[in-house]
Amino acid sequence: GQGVSFGNIGSGYTYPFPASQIRYTSPTFAGGLKVAVALVDPSPVNGAADREESVPRIEGEVTYSTEFDG
């Protein structure tokens, strides 16, 4: 019912059943900072068909990367 599972692991993991989404990822800013924001398709909560999100949820991610000398 939720689509294809990546390895059938299911409960407790956020990635086994991918959801449709619209996502923007910024270019890497000076210093290594990158920002991403997504509107994710509503889906059943904990696999229960009677408890469904009614609007897309907003997810965000901030990453930072840099090189260390030595």
Side-chain angles (χ1 to χ4, degrees), residues 44-68:
V45 177
N46 295 327
D50 61 337
R51 296 185 314 206
E52 186 171 331
E53 299 170 340
S54 58
V55 296
R57 68 181 182 274
I58 299 172
E59 294 183 0
E61 176 180 24
V62 177
T63 58
Y64 176 77
S65 64
T66 188
E67 293 183 20
F68 292 97

Side-chain angles (χ1 to χ4, degrees), residues 28-51:
T28 303
F29 297 112
L33 185 69
K34 188 183 284 191
V35 177
V37 177
L39 289 174
V40 183
D41 190 30
S43 60
V45 177
N46 295 327
D50 61 337
R51 296 185 314 206

